[in-house]
Amino acid sequence: MTDISDADQRHTEKMQRIQTARKKMMASKQGGEKGLIIVHTGNGKGKSSSGFGMIMRAIGHDMPCAVVQFIKGNWDTGEKRILTRHFADQCQFYTMGEGFTWDTQDRQRDIAAATAAWEKAKDLIRDPNIALVLLDEINIAIRYDYLDPDEVADFLLTEKPPMTHVVLTGRHAKPVLIEAADLVSEMTEVKHPFKSQGIVAQKGVEF
Amino acid sequence: MTDISDADQRHTEKMQRIQTARKKMMASKQGGEKGLIIVHTGNGKGKSSSGFGMIMRAIGHDMPCAVVQFIKGNWDTGEKRILTRHFADQCQFYTMGEGFTWDTQDRQRDIAAATAAWEKAKDLIRDPNIALVLLDEINIAIRYDYLDPDEVADFLLTEKPPMTHVVLTGRHAKPVLIEAADLVSEMTEVKHPFKSQGIVAQKGVEF
């Protein structure tokens, strides 16, 4: 009887070891790396600059990446300068919008520009060699009904390669995009100098 | 009587024009450019990457800048790589922390590292040639009582040159720093893949 009891004991211990190893394996499988759909929204500062910071991090890790700016048009931004001057090989950069709608005053032209930007974005996202695609201010283009949020969400969920990260920025992100996203961060304005002190937008801070 | 009435009318119009011009002048004076104290806090993603994006923007505009990382220690981050490899002339980069406290397990060593980082930060902020200083994760060092928030706020309000921007990042920003800041953005976690899907921190996204 002692022998059988020892055998039972050994079996139990073995099963516990296997179970532990299996749990560990499952945990590492459940985790691991995955291309994320990331949304930065809210009325506070940091949505675009954070997306741009991720682009620079990716370049630092030698990951090919791409930026499509949906709204900023021909602004002479710091991000445009640094990416086009220093990292044109690592990061494709497209500025498809022609400025805010209150600049252009031409809704059909805005829609055409946003549509062209989205077509370019789809090509970039489909390219499995590109690790990270930033769709800067796409939420604004969607908010103005220049793009269909359902189409954007559907494309991301069905055609994005599994390891590609896509970052969508801009206030008023639509619920369908929040739903599609893996990671959503809302930037909330706690205090802003434009309103409280009348400070203008400044180089290095806002653009 | 008609003449006087016309004169009154002209006078009123003239006064209105002057008043409008004066308001405009005052508005432009009240606004203008100013070095800002900027705080990025909250439990969501984007605090450090947004600060880092501002650094890259500043470099894009040829503005000298500096980064002091209070917590990240010897992590091989994308921001460290890109700044030290490509922009050492434009951006001084210091990593003074030796990693999170649960790595070092030595509170006195953490305090010494944070204090040294803060002394370096003060030197950088006092240098009027530096346009933007990022104090990455300083809020965490303060939260762990490695630094005195009153001293940090007092220094920024009394010794920061008027045109220098300083960005403080990290969750749990102390009220005294919120009070001292010109611009505060709170990053709120709406959805996070680490918790919901067990995804690990990834290159280009988190570091």
Side-chain angles (χ1 to χ4, degrees):
Chain A
M1 300 295 282
T2 314
D3 283 354
I4 294 171
S5 176
D6 282 351
D8 283 352
Q9 182 62 25
R10 280 196 300 276
H11 177 80
T12 301
E13 284 173 9
K14 188 178 172 182
M15 286 305 106
Q16 280 172 349
R17 279 202 308 277
I18 289 170
Q19 191 182 50
T20 301
R22 188 176 157 72
K23 273 187 186 165
K24 204 169 162 183
M25 184 271 286
M26 289 301 289
S28 75
K29 278 221 172 181
Q30 190 194 357
E33 302 208 333
K34 178 194 161 185
L36 302 176
I37 302 171
I38 299 169
V39 171
H40 290 168
T41 192
N43 66 350
K45 229 199 100 42
K47 300 180 290 293
S48 287
S49 52
S50 174
F52 177 51
M54 274 191 272
I55 286 285
M56 301 310 294
R57 277 181 177 157
I59 293 172
H61 289 299
D62 303 315
M63 296 158 64
C65 48
V67 177
V68 182
Q69 288 197 306
F70 279 79
I71 293 292
K72 279 175 184 161
N74 294 317
W75 288 15
D76 178 24
T77 60
E79 55 266 40
K80 181 193 260 181
R81 284 192 185 198
I82 206 160
L83 290 173
T84 54
R85 284 183 192 173
H86 296 277
F87 303 109
D89 290 347
Q90 294 104 307
C91 185
Q92 298 183 56
F93 186 88
Y94 300 93
T95 305
M96 305 295 285
E98 303 188 49
F100 284 102
T101 192
W102 46 89
D103 288 332
T104 62
Q105 302 280 336
D106 184 337
R107 187 174 147 75
Q108 290 310 314
R109 210 169 93 177
D110 286 352
I111 290 173
T115 304
W118 174 236
E119 291 303 317
K120 173 55 74 178
K122 287 196 285 187
D123 288 345
L124 295 165
I125 294 166
R126 282 193 191 105
D127 181 348
N129 296 314
I130 299 178
L132 173 63
V133 181
L134 170 60
L135 307 180
D136 191 34
E137 303 287 13
I138 190 173
N139 292 335
I140 304 292
I142 292 168
R143 158 95 165 166
Y144 288 150
D145 295 324
Y146 299 163
L147 295 175
D148 177 3
D150 292 345
E151 194 206 316
V152 174
D154 187 62
F155 176 85
L156 293 174
L157 291 172
T158 58
E159 296 199 44
K160 183 184 80 58
M163 293 309 293
T164 304
H165 304 295
V166 178
V167 184
L168 300 89
T169 77
R171 50 179 75 189
H172 306 300
K174 294 287 181 188
V176 67
L177 289 169
I178 303 282
E179 188 57 40
D182 299 291
L183 192 160
V184 179
S185 198
E186 183 171 2
M187 280 66 167
T188 308
E189 176 183 302
V190 177
K191 209 174 182 183
H192 201 296
F194 297 3
K195 288 171 189 168
S196 60
Q197 303 173 35
I199 304 296
V200 300
Q202 293 175 90
K203 271 199 302 199
V205 177
E206 310 292 337
F207 61 91
Chain B
M1 298 296 280
T2 315
D3 283 353
I4 293 169
S5 177
D6 282 350
D8 283 352
Q9 181 63 23
R10 281 194 301 275
H11 176 81
T12 301
E13 285 172 9
K14 187 178 172 184
M15 286 304 108
Q16 281 172 346
R17 280 201 308 278
I18 290 170
Q19 192 182 47
T20 302
R22 187 176 158 72
K23 274 187 187 164
K24 205 169 162 184
M25 184 270 287
M26 288 301 289
S28 74
K29 280 220 171 181
Q30 192 195 357
E33 302 208 330
K34 179 194 162 185
L36 302 176
I37 301 170
I38 299 169
V39 171
H40 290 167
T41 193
N43 64 350
K45 228 197 100 42
K47 300 181 290 293
S48 288
S49 52
S50 174
F52 177 51
M54 273 191 272
I55 286 285
M56 301 311 293
R57 278 182 177 158
I59 292 172
H61 289 299
D62 303 315
M63 296 158 66
C65 48
V67 177
V68 182
Q69 289 196 308
F70 279 79
I71 294 292
K72 278 175 184 162
N74 294 317
W75 289 14
D76 178 23
T77 60
E79 56 267 41
K80 182 193 258 182
R81 284 192 187 198
I82 205 160
L83 290 173
T84 55
R85 284 184 194 173
H86 296 277
F87 303 109
D89 290 346
Q90 294 103 308
C91 185
Q92 298 184 55
F93 186 87
Y94 300 93
T95 305
M96 305 296 283
E98 305 188 48
F100 284 103
T101 191
W102 47 88
D103 287 333
T104 62
Q105 302 281 335
D106 184 336
R107 185 173 148 74
Q108 289 311 316
R109 210 169 94 178
D110 286 352
I111 290 173
T115 303
W118 173 236
E119 291 303 316
K120 173 56 73 180
K122 286 195 285 188
D123 289 344
L124 295 165
I125 293 165
R126 282 193 191 106
D127 181 347
N129 297 315
I130 299 178
L132 172 63
V133 180
L134 170 60
L135 307 179
D136 191 35
E137 302 287 15
I138 190 173
N139 292 334
I140 303 292
I142 292 169
R143 158 96 164 163
Y144 287 150
D145 294 325
Y146 299 164
L147 295 175
D148 176 3
D150 292 344
E151 194 206 315
V152 174
D154 186 61
F155 176 85
L156 293 174
L157 290 172
T158 58
E159 296 199 43
K160 182 183 82 56
M163 293 310 293
T164 303
H165 304 296
V166 178
V167 184
L168 300 89
T169 76
R171 51 180 74 189
H172 305 300
K174 294 286 181 187
V176 66
L177 289 169
I178 303 281
E179 188 56 40
D182 300 291
L183 193 160
V184 179
S185 199
E186 184 171 0
M187 280 66 168
T188 308
E189 177 184 300
V190 177
K191 209 174 182 183
H192 201 295
F194 297 1
K195 289 171 187 166
S196 60
Q197 302 174 36
I199 304 297
V200 300
Q202 293 175 89
K203 270 198 303 200
V205 177
E206 309 292 335
F207 61 91

